[in-house]
């Protein structure tokens, strides 16, 4: 009984499919990193390792804040990283398709904005903090924009210290990336505000409902486990 209580809530069939797809994409990324090492392309290998660590963001958030993100968030994050590293860098889509970089920065603004909202919503839902919808929406946008800024700083440092060409056209590339990331994050910010004020149906509501349901079930299992341990200590 104790071992079963330690397991997270059972995943549905669609969730299992999404999780399997996420693992497959990550396996392809690991294989690509190995190929980069074999070809002595240490820049791509190092970048791939760094990005692969970023793909563990859902696990880091769960350990740090005890928040379990929906499976869709993990899959979308993995797809984004796969599109950036395997397709963009390794397959050279960034040079072959002019709008590839803008597409990924826009989608990253949306995705990271969603992650920021889920984090702050968890604290609102558990009554750890209080905030009005406008501030929650602003946090989602700034959280995403901060992540985009850190990535641009990383690209700048790589170019300056090691002579890479991650920024391509320099200042223009940086500003274009930040602008489209801001636009993507703003889409989430508007959706968050409309959801918190009007409870409108849409992607935000579906994601939050699944997030709440899964974390409530997970919290219930944790409480049951604590009660079981307390009961056993009392018996001893």
């Amino acid at each position: 009984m104790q071992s079963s209580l330690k397991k997270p809530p059972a995943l549905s069939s669609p969730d299992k499919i999404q999780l399997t797809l996420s693992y497959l994409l990550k396996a392809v990324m690991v294989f690509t990193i190995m190929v980069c090492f074999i070809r002595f392309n240490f820049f791509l290998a190092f970048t791939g390792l760094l990005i692969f660590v970023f793909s563990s963001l859902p696990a880091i958030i769960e350990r740090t804040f005890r928040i379990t993100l929906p499976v869709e968030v993990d899959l979308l994050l993995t797809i984004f990283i796969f599109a950036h590293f395997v397709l963009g860098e390794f397959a050279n889509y960034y040079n072959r398709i002019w709008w590839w970089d803008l597409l990924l920065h826009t989608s990253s603004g949306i995705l990271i904005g969603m992650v920021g909202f889920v984090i702050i919503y968890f604290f609102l839902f558990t009554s750890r903090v209080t905030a009005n919808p406008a501030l929650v929406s602003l946090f989602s946008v700034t959280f995403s924009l901060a992540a985009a800024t850190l990535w641009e700083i990383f690209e700048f440092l790589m170019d300056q210290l090691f002579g890479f060409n991650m920024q391509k056209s320099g200042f223009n590339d940086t500003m274009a990336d930040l602008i489209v990331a801001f636009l993507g994050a703003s889409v989430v910010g508007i959706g968050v505000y409309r959801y918190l004020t009007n409870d409108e149906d849409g992607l935000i509501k579906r994601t939050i409902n699944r997030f709440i349901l899964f974390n409530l079930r997970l919290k219930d299992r944790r409480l049951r486990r604590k009660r079981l341990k307390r009961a056993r200590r009392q018996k001893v």
Side-chain angles (χ1 to χ4, degrees), residues 132-201:
N132 62 47
L135 288 179
V136 175
S137 178
L138 180 63
F139 174 84
S140 302
V141 175
T142 54
F143 181 85
S144 178
L145 197 57
T149 303
L150 287 176
W151 178 256
E152 294 302 322
I153 292 174
F154 168 75
E155 288 187 345
F156 173 78
L157 291 176
M158 291 297 101
D159 289 353
Q160 295 298 315
L161 296 177
F162 302 105
F164 298 139
N165 188 31
M166 297 185 69
Q167 289 186 296
K168 300 176 180 63
S169 59
F171 178 77
N172 290 335
D173 178 79
T174 298
M175 292 309 301
D177 291 345
L178 290 177
I179 289 172
V180 295
F182 172 73
L183 292 176
S186 297
V187 171
V188 175
I190 293 172
V192 165
Y193 184 81
R194 293 173 66 91
Y195 165 73
L196 293 177
T197 54
N198 302 321
D199 193 28
E200 290 187 354
D201 293 329

Side-chain angles (χ1 to χ4, degrees), residues 25-38 85 90:
L25 293 177
K26 289 176 182 176
V28 173
M29 284 190 283
V30 171
F31 176 77
T32 305
I33 293 172
M34 294 173 61
V35 171
C36 291
F37 273 113
I38 294 174
F85 176 62
F90 187 77

Side-chain angles (χ1 to χ4, degrees), residues 9-23 69-75 210 213-214 217:
L11 296 174
S12 63
S13 295
D15 287 343
K16 291 179 180 178
I17 294 174
Q18 294 181 78
L19 198 59
T20 301
L21 180 58
S22 177
Y23 287 149
L69 297 176
V71 177
E72 291 87 347
V73 174
D74 178 77
L75 176 61
R210 286 178 52 77
L213 178 62
F214 189 86
R217 292 164 60 193

Side-chain angles (χ1 to χ4, degrees), residues 59-99:
I60 295 174
I61 292 176
E62 181 175 0
R63 287 181 176 272
T64 305
F65 301 105
R66 300 185 71 84
I67 303 173
T68 302
L69 297 176
V71 177
E72 291 87 347
V73 174
D74 178 77
L75 176 61
L76 289 175
L77 181 62
T78 303
I79 292 175
F80 167 75
I81 294 173
F82 180 88
H84 166 72
F85 176 62
V86 178
L87 299 180
E89 296 287 357
F90 187 77
N92 202 27
Y93 273 33
Y94 282 126
N95 293 325
R96 295 165 55 186
I97 304 176
W98 67 268
W99 46 263

Side-chain angles (χ1 to χ4, degrees), residues 90-133:
F90 187 77
N92 202 27
Y93 273 33
Y94 282 126
N95 293 325
R96 295 165 55 186
I97 304 176
W98 67 268
W99 46 263
W100 191 256
D101 186 49
L102 296 178
L103 172 66
L104 290 189
H105 277 86
T106 304
S107 60
S108 70
I110 296 174
L111 178 59
I112 300 177
M114 284 290 297
V115 172
F117 172 58
V118 168
I119 293 174
I120 192 64
Y121 190 88
F122 175 81
F123 291 109
L124 290 171
F125 182 75
T126 56
S127 300
R128 298 187 192 181
V129 297
T130 56
N132 62 47

